[in-house]
Amino acid sequence: MSRLLTFLLTQAVQYLTLATLLLSASVSAQPLVLAQISERPKKDYAELRPMASYIADQLSEFGFDGAEVRLFRTADELIAAIRAGEVHWVTETPYTTARLVQETGSRALVKKWKNGQRQYQTLIYTREGSGIKELADLVNRQIAFEHPYSFSSYYLPKRILERSGFTLSPLHKATELPPSGTIGYLFSRNEKNNALWVDKAIVAAGALNDGDWNNPDRVPPTIRQRLRIIYRSPFYPRAFETATPALPPDAAQRLQQLLLTLDRASHSALLERYEHTEAFAPIEPTDLQLLHDMVVDTGGAKR
Amino acid sequence: MKRKFSVITRLSILLTLVSAVIMVTLIMAVDDALKEYRRQSAHIDQSYLTDTMREQLERDASLLIKALGDNLSDAVYQQDLSSIGNSLEDLRGYREMDYIYVHDADGRIIHDGSLAINHYGEDVSSYLHPGSTSGLQPQLHWAGSHLYLNSPITAGGEPFAAIAVGFDFSAPLQIAVERAEALEANELEMFQAVRSALLLTFIILLPVCLLSARILTRRMLTPLTTLTERSIRYADGERDLSFDLQREDELGRLGRALERMRLGLEESHDQVHQMAYEDTVTSLPNRRSFQHKLNEIMHRSASMDYRFAVLFIDLDHFKQVNDTAGHAQGDQLLREVARRLGQILKEQRSRRRPESLLARLGGDEFVVLLPAIETGEEAAEIARALSAALNTPFLLSGQYFSISCSIGITLYPDDGVSSSEILKHADIAMYSAKQHGRNQFAFFQPQMTEEIRERLEIQQGIREAIKHDYLFLDYQPIYCMRSGRILGAEALLRWRHPQHGLLSPARFIPIIEESDLIEEVTRWVAQRAVTDLQSLLELNPAFSLSINISGAALHQSSICDFICDLKQQQNLPDDSLCIEITETSMITHLESSENALRRWKSAGIEIWIDDFGTGYSSLAYLNSLSIDGLKIDRSFVHNLIDGHSRPLIDAMVALAESLSIHTVAEGIETEQQLALLRKMGVHLAQGFGLARPMPLLDLQQKIRLEIEETA
């Protein structure tokens, strides 16, 4: 009798709990979560927050009662959060976007002209007078990439070098020599260091996108004039706005529509705040191809 | 001119000065302390601030660089130049720096803080401040306001790089200096303020001091002021006050002392007043008191139509009472007189008028002030009553004394407007009454003044006359009827007054006789006559000289003695000096004159009766006193021819013959008179018809001629 009662009670509690959960999910609103990988959370939060709030307001019909910006230190943490259904929307570079698309089933919605750049290219450069004239001269030398998550200053140049037939070996220190016949690479942690290392002959070459190259804060003109570009890659989209599986498809579609309607004429301040975005552009088939084809190297993520 | 300040002013100024000196001394001490403090603190402040600042900067800089080193450790290790650059850039914004280098163990520059790190890889030592090391050892040294540091950067406790930095601390140190200066300036300002405040306080306090010192002094000296004011009131005659302040301090004691003094003074004042204003014999007011009251009344009545009378009362013959019964009896008589007069006045007052005033002026003089007198008759009535009161004989020690009084009356304001005038005129009137036979009263008449003046002039002038030889003697020869020769002369007193010329003996001799001057004049006459007699005796050893002795002088034994001594001293022969006295004077002073006459007789001096036949003579005395001769009065001689005096002269000659004494006929003016008198048996002759009175020299000349004629 008591056993039966206990069972019944247990069952009742379980059902009750489930009902409560369901009820609360359908009735109570949730915030729209926009995410990004960030090494400078303070700056990035400030940049993302206004756009997140704006979009959340527009998507209230889908049960969003506010916006939340979440910043992750690594791509792996971001991916874990997406998998946990905690993130609805991500704004990232092609490299990270490719990983999300490939690993989480997320869908790229629009291209973002981040920092006013519709597209960008990777530049491989060396110090003038270093005697290095082409990529082949880099063998047995070191090249500095910026960061393992960087599309333009890691993924792309590394793929370019590898496609050109060179073998690249990771190094921990600039004083470390690459295995013979390979090109040693290490991370300069930021764009400025990248240029300084090349200028101070700590490494033989560096890789930066054209936007950073032309930014005097990252590459001071005095240094830039002492450097020489030895390779220029094709142009790639600057960034993507991606919807995660947590965002319902109709909401994702609505988000896509919303973003595409934003232009400088009507939402200048909002766009400027949103990482100096010039405009949003529709995804083209070549873009989708890129995201699918991009071989994602997850090794660097563990650094 | 030396100004005199009050004690209050002087004391308050003194107190203020003392306070001022104390205050000034305090101010000077405070000022001195402030100066000393400022001198030291200025020195300490600057170095202290600078040193503290340096220490602080040093510690701050060391910590900063140490922290930077710790912070840059990873970046340096990873050659994160941008990170290093950012940190250095941040630091530059925080501190003024000469330079900052991050260098490795070999002294090679890893970062120089510039954007492009232009000195990368160069030897850091060439960029460091001389004296700074480029190794990994920590170092810190100052060069002026610059601080140079070398701080190692460690990894796992091992230094592998270092930060060399030169801080420029001129600005903060300058600020420290400025702060110190500002502090000093503040202090100076504060000191000035303190000094000003002190000075202001002093300036404010000084008058406050002066004022409060004055108030305090005044309050403390108030009893003194009270005493002073009471003393002044007391000196001004206010009597109804006390000096006792009813307090226990020094001033209270002074007050009590003054009060004791006042009481003593009051007592002696009362005594003095009594002595000064009261007659000791009769206890009546004295002369001073009377004059005082008289003055008062005159002062009061000056503006009013107010009349009063003053009665000047002089007792007649009081001197005799004094002389015969003694002074004690005399005083008793005076007291009785005062009582009787007072009684009469009391009766008068009760009937008609306000209280009259009786006073004793001295001796036998009384005076009465009769207020509210309308007519002279009223005064006369009272004078009569007073006079009558004294007529009843006085019984003193079983003996009766009869006295009378002479009263002089003055009426105010008719007879004088001043008290002294009123009193003097009353005296004159009294004198006049006395002159007119005593026991009567007289109202003052203006001519009385002249009489009295003349009298006084003579009385006062006689002394001068004796002193300056204004007196001289003329001699009238006395002739022998038979031989016609000069047997002697009568000395006659003459006075040649310097202003009035030769005065008539009839004028001045009675006045002298009335006064006490008679003795002096008699002496002078006797002295001169005796001197002259000696020269005459040289011419005629039988010469005799007569001098007149007044009745007033006759009873004075001193004159009697003087003349006897004179005769003795000059070795005058007996009977050469003759004394002439009148019948009346001899009879009036019978007792005393008898004594004198007997002495003169025994001394060999002749006695003649002058003006015989005009007065009263005691024939018994003529006999018993051995009178040497009679001088038949000139009135008989004058009436000899045409009148009826011949039988009288005959009788006188018969009397003389019966007494065996000589006769002299005076006032012979004609030969006829001389012949008849000679025939009637008169021995000696004197008169203008024979010879007028003449100076000694003329007499001597006359005698010499006579001698020559006989020779």
Side-chain angles (χ1 to χ4, degrees):
Chain A
M1 178 74 185
S2 67
R3 192 173 291 173
L4 178 66
L5 190 65
T6 312
F7 175 72
L8 280 173
L9 272 173
T10 315
Q11 286 297 306
V13 168
Q14 281 179 354
Y15 279 111
L16 215 76
T17 311
L18 188 66
T20 310
L21 279 171
L22 283 170
L23 201 69
S24 67
S26 64
V27 172
S28 72
Q30 58 174 335
L32 176 67
V33 178
L34 173 59
Q36 191 179 45
I37 299 168
S38 171
E39 286 200 322
R40 288 165 295 195
K42 196 177 169 186
K43 173 177 168 272
D44 290 339
Y45 183 88
E47 284 185 342
L48 301 191
R49 175 78 202 178
M51 182 58 83
S53 295
Y54 174 76
I55 295 299
D57 286 348
Q58 303 299 316
L59 297 184
S60 58
E61 59 192 275
F62 300 101
F64 296 111
D65 65 344
E68 191 182 319
V69 172
R70 288 188 66 182
L71 300 169
F72 298 89
R73 286 190 294 161
T74 65
D76 291 338
E77 287 176 13
L78 172 59
I79 287 164
I82 291 169
R83 282 181 181 153
E86 296 168 5
V87 173
H88 303 110
W89 169 26
V90 177
T91 178
E92 263 298 344
T93 57
Y95 177 64
T96 307
T97 307
R99 273 195 74 182
L100 300 184
V101 168
Q102 291 173 24
E103 295 177 26
T104 67
S106 297
R107 189 167 66 92
L109 300 175
V110 294
K111 286 190 283 186
K112 181 167 100 172
W113 295 9
K114 184 181 171 185
N115 290 332
Q117 289 175 298
R118 175 171 167 250
Q119 55 185 9
Y120 64 172
Q121 63 176 172
T122 290
L123 307 174
I124 295 173
Y125 62 95
T126 183
R127 189 166 40 90
E128 194 163 28
S130 64
I132 296 165
K133 302 251 189 303
E134 51 184 26
L135 297 178
D137 294 336
L138 294 175
V139 176
N140 294 329
R141 296 181 193 244
Q142 300 135 317
I143 183 166
F145 298 133
E146 187 210 343
H147 199 269
Y149 310 131
S150 173
F151 174 71
S152 63
S153 187
Y154 175 50
Y155 175 77
L156 201 54
K158 190 182 171 209
R159 204 176 70 157
I160 289 163
L161 287 171
E162 284 171 343
R163 281 192 181 171
S164 303
F166 302 111
T167 309
L168 280 83
S169 27
L171 301 174
H172 292 292
K173 283 199 66 148
T175 48
E176 204 178 329
L177 287 172
S180 184
T182 65
I183 299 170
Y185 72 90
L186 51 147
F187 296 101
S188 67
R189 301 151 65 101
N190 59 45
E191 301 86 350
K192 201 173 169 185
N193 255 347
N194 201 274
L196 281 168
W197 281 8
V198 175
D199 183 50
K200 305 309 172 193
I202 293 167
V203 293
L208 289 172
N209 71 47
D210 57 345
D212 291 334
W213 178 263
N214 289 313
N215 186 341
D217 289 337
R218 297 189 170 169
V219 182
T222 50
I223 289 176
R224 195 167 60 206
Q225 69 189 12
R226 294 202 291 265
L227 304 175
R228 196 161 58 88
I229 297 166
I230 57 170
Y231 178 84
R232 289 174 186 267
S233 77
F235 286 95
Y236 292 91
R238 181 64 183 87
F240 290 95
E241 301 296 307
T242 308
T244 67
L247 191 68
D250 50 347
Q253 193 172 347
R254 179 84 181 107
L255 173 61
Q256 188 178 33
Q257 285 173 355
L258 272 172
L259 292 173
L260 287 172
T261 55
L262 292 175
D263 59 20
R264 277 272 168 175
S266 58
H267 294 88
S268 172
L270 185 64
L271 290 174
E272 180 58 33
R273 287 286 296 278
Y274 195 51
E275 297 188 307
H276 314 290
T277 299
E278 187 61 34
F280 295 101
I283 304 287
E284 290 166 40
T286 51
D287 302 323
L288 285 176
Q289 192 62 48
L290 173 72
L291 293 175
H292 283 288
D293 290 354
M294 202 178 288
V295 176
V296 179
D297 174 11
T298 57
K302 288 180 179 167
R303 271 188 81 224
Chain B
M1 192 175 110
K2 194 178 172 184
R3 283 194 63 187
K4 293 282 181 191
F5 291 106
S6 72
V7 175
I8 290 171
T9 309
R10 275 183 289 166
L11 249 176
S12 44
I13 286 172
L14 191 69
L15 276 174
T16 310
L17 274 179
V18 169
S19 313
V21 166
I22 291 170
M23 281 192 276
V24 165
T25 313
L26 264 174
I27 286 173
M28 280 166 72
V30 169
D31 196 57
D32 217 41
L34 284 179
K35 271 187 202 154
E36 179 61 22
Y37 172 75
R38 214 176 78 73
R39 200 155 52 84
Q40 291 196 359
S41 86
H43 178 66
I44 288 167
D45 279 357
Q46 190 150 355
S47 59
Y48 176 76
L49 268 179
T50 311
D51 290 351
T52 311
M53 183 67 105
R54 274 174 191 270
E55 263 173 49
Q56 195 57 45
L57 288 169
E58 219 174 85
R59 198 159 50 233
D60 192 29
S62 299
L63 275 172
L64 187 68
I65 299 305
K66 175 85 167 48
L68 181 66
D70 291 348
N71 199 32
L72 287 184
S73 181
D74 277 358
V76 171
Y77 187 79
Q78 290 164 1
Q79 294 187 291
D80 190 344
L81 299 181
S82 72
S83 179
I84 297 168
N86 286 339
S87 295
L88 298 189
E89 191 59 34
D90 287 349
L91 196 64
R92 274 200 188 278
Y94 177 61
R95 279 285 187 267
E96 197 66 38
M97 285 186 291
D98 295 339
Y99 57 77
I100 181 159
Y101 296 108
V102 179
H103 60 86
D104 62 15
D106 300 329
R108 302 210 167 273
I109 293 172
I110 294 169
H111 208 297
D112 59 7
S114 71
L115 206 58
I117 322 179
N118 291 326
H119 301 304
Y120 183 87
E122 292 178 32
D123 186 0
V124 74
S125 56
S126 54
Y127 295 102
L128 298 183
H129 183 266
S132 298
T133 56
S134 53
L136 298 183
Q137 301 81 15
Q139 194 200 14
L140 181 149
H141 72 96
W142 284 93
S145 56
H146 295 251
L147 176 67
Y148 299 101
L149 278 173
N150 196 53
S151 179
I153 301 171
T154 56
E158 283 299 310
F160 69 97
I163 301 169
V165 62
F167 286 105
D168 177 7
F169 285 138
S170 348
L173 286 175
Q174 183 56 35
I175 286 169
V177 170
E178 281 168 9
R179 288 276 156 80
E181 280 169 6
L183 208 62
E184 205 180 315
N186 270 349
E187 271 179 5
L188 182 63
E189 206 173 308
M190 197 186 78
F191 293 161
Q192 302 285 22
V194 167
R195 202 176 288 172
S196 303
L198 282 175
L199 202 67
L200 194 68
T201 310
F202 176 72
I203 290 168
I204 291 169
L205 272 184
L206 202 63
V208 169
C209 246
L210 186 63
L211 203 67
S212 39
R214 194 169 172 80
I215 290 167
L216 273 177
T217 318
R218 187 186 286 276
R219 180 167 295 177
M220 286 181 75
L221 292 185
T222 300
L224 208 58
T225 318
T226 308
L227 286 181
T228 310
E229 179 246 339
R230 287 186 192 171
S231 302
I232 290 166
R233 271 162 51 202
Y234 188 67
D236 287 346
E238 193 175 326
R239 288 291 173 269
D240 187 21
L241 50 78
S242 166
F243 288 107
D244 197 348
L245 297 172
Q246 304 291 346
R247 48 191 291 163
E248 291 307 317
D249 56 7
E250 292 88 333
L251 293 170
R253 290 211 296 279
L254 174 62
R256 282 198 295 281
L258 280 175
E259 178 61 13
R260 285 217 310 277
M261 205 166 83
R262 184 187 73 82
L263 291 174
L265 207 60
E266 284 289 292
E267 200 175 321
S268 51
H269 179 267
D270 287 347
Q271 285 171 1
V272 168
H273 186 271
Q274 203 173 351
M275 280 161 71
Y277 288 95
E278 194 180 290
D279 171 44
T280 47
V281 177
T282 61
S283 296
L284 288 177
N286 63 6
R287 177 188 290 273
R288 189 195 309 274
S289 172
F290 182 79
Q291 273 177 336
H292 204 76
K293 296 237 169 78
L294 189 59
N295 272 330
E296 238 171 62
I297 286 174
M298 294 186 74
H299 190 74
R300 272 212 305 274
S301 53
S303 55
M304 292 180 282
D305 183 21
Y306 183 82
R307 296 167 67 83
F308 63 83
V310 169
L311 273 56
F312 198 108
I313 304 167
D314 188 276
L315 304 183
D316 302 327
H317 314 303
F318 174 71
K319 198 168 167 19
Q320 286 167 24
V321 178
N322 244 358
D323 286 349
T324 53
H327 285 282
Q329 298 287 344
D331 286 351
Q332 207 182 328
L333 177 74
L334 289 173
R335 276 192 285 277
E336 180 59 18
V337 167
R339 194 191 64 74
R340 288 191 193 178
L341 295 177
Q343 184 65 34
I344 296 300
L345 292 172
K346 209 169 164 187
E347 285 165 15
Q348 293 290 329
R349 175 174 67 107
S350 58
R351 260 187 279 162
R352 286 210 294 254
R353 59 177 61 84
E355 190 176 10
S356 44
L357 177 70
L358 172 65
R360 179 178 170 228
L361 296 185
D364 54 359
E365 292 172 342
F366 292 82
V367 69
V368 176
L369 173 69
L370 296 174
I373 286 290
E374 287 305 320
T375 63
E377 187 44 44
E378 283 180 53
E381 194 181 322
I382 292 170
R384 271 184 223 106
L386 291 173
S387 211
L390 299 185
N391 280 342
T392 315
F394 292 82
L395 180 63
L396 302 173
S397 307
Q399 194 177 353
Y400 280 102
F401 290 92
S402 285
I403 56 165
S404 60
C405 67
S406 304
I407 300 175
I409 304 171
T410 43
L411 294 172
Y412 173 86
D414 305 347
D415 299 332
V417 287
S418 73
S419 65
S420 55
E421 210 172 21
I422 285 286
L423 207 56
K424 194 177 92 188
H425 287 170
D427 191 5
I428 288 167
M430 180 281 291
Y431 204 87
S432 178
K434 205 176 267 292
Q435 286 299 113
H436 287 85
R438 305 173 202 268
N439 198 15
Q440 52 189 303
F441 63 85
F443 284 93
F444 172 74
Q445 306 294 329
Q447 71 267 19
M448 287 178 180
T449 314
E450 185 52 35
E451 289 168 19
I452 296 298
R453 191 190 58 72
E454 190 184 317
R455 190 177 288 277
L456 285 173
E457 207 172 67
I458 285 165
Q459 284 179 358
Q460 284 161 7
I462 198 75
R463 291 183 197 280
E464 292 238 324
I466 292 168
K467 199 171 163 189
H468 294 108
D469 266 350
Y470 296 146
L471 293 181
F472 63 94
L473 293 177
D474 268 352
Y475 296 98
Q476 191 172 29
I478 298 172
Y479 292 88
C480 173
M481 283 286 192
R482 291 220 174 85
S483 62
R485 292 181 62 178
I486 296 172
L487 289 181
E490 182 183 358
L492 297 166
L493 182 60
R494 297 286 184 267
W495 182 358
R496 188 178 288 109
H497 197 277
Q499 277 100 44
H500 306 301
L502 202 60
L503 293 180
S504 156
R507 252 182 82 189
F508 72 85
I509 285 171
I511 294 172
I512 290 170
E513 280 180 337
E514 276 176 19
S515 73
D516 55 357
L517 289 168
I518 191 65
E519 181 179 343
E520 209 169 335
V521 173
T522 307
R523 281 169 190 264
W524 184 87
V525 170
Q527 181 75 55
R528 171 58 54 93
V530 165
T531 309
D532 291 350
L533 176 58
Q534 278 186 317
S535 66
L536 294 167
L537 285 170
E538 281 170 18
L539 297 173
N540 177 9
F543 196 85
S544 72
L545 187 63
S546 304
I547 55 174
N548 292 284
I549 298 296
S550 154
L554 193 58
H555 67 277
Q556 290 181 10
S557 56
S558 59
I559 288 179
C560 173
D561 293 343
F562 178 79
I563 294 172
C564 290
D565 292 349
L566 204 61
K567 196 242 166 195
Q568 190 90 33
Q569 282 164 15
Q570 304 295 328
N571 282 321
L572 294 176
D574 286 352
D575 304 333
S576 60
L577 186 63
C578 299
I579 285 175
E580 293 184 12
I581 55 171
T582 60
E583 287 170 304
T584 313
S585 65
M586 187 180 72
I587 293 302
T588 310
H589 307 286
L590 200 59
E591 273 180 43
S592 51
S593 58
E594 185 188 343
N595 187 36
L597 295 175
R598 286 189 198 286
R599 284 191 59 198
W600 280 327
K601 272 305 287 180
S602 60
I605 297 168
E606 285 195 351
I607 311 288
W608 288 64
I609 302 296
D610 201 6
D611 304 335
F612 189 77
T614 55
Y616 310 96
S617 287
S618 162
L619 293 181
Y621 275 110
L622 288 182
N623 190 32
S624 68
L625 285 176
S626 311
I627 297 297
D628 294 294
L630 305 173
K631 292 188 84 169
I632 298 163
D633 190 72
R634 65 185 66 238
S635 56
F636 298 112
V637 176
H638 187 72
N639 294 325
L640 181 62
I641 306 299
D642 300 323
H644 322 284
S645 59
R646 186 168 176 170
L648 292 174
I649 294 171
D650 279 337
M652 283 183 242
V653 172
L655 177 64
E657 276 176 357
S658 68
L659 290 171
S660 304
I661 54 173
H662 295 288
T663 48
V664 178
E666 290 179 294
I668 298 171
E669 289 171 354
T670 62
E671 282 292 326
Q672 197 182 355
Q673 287 170 341
L674 181 65
L676 188 55
L677 288 167
R678 187 187 292 132
K679 195 177 163 188
M680 287 171 72
V682 174
H683 303 106
L684 302 167
Q686 183 184 356
F688 282 9
L690 297 165
R692 286 175 169 266
M694 61 188 74
L696 176 67
L697 287 174
D698 292 356
L699 180 62
Q700 286 169 332
Q701 186 60 35
K702 215 171 183 67
I703 292 168
R704 273 192 209 97
L705 277 173
E706 223 179 49
I707 292 167
E708 279 165 23
E709 278 171 17
T710 4

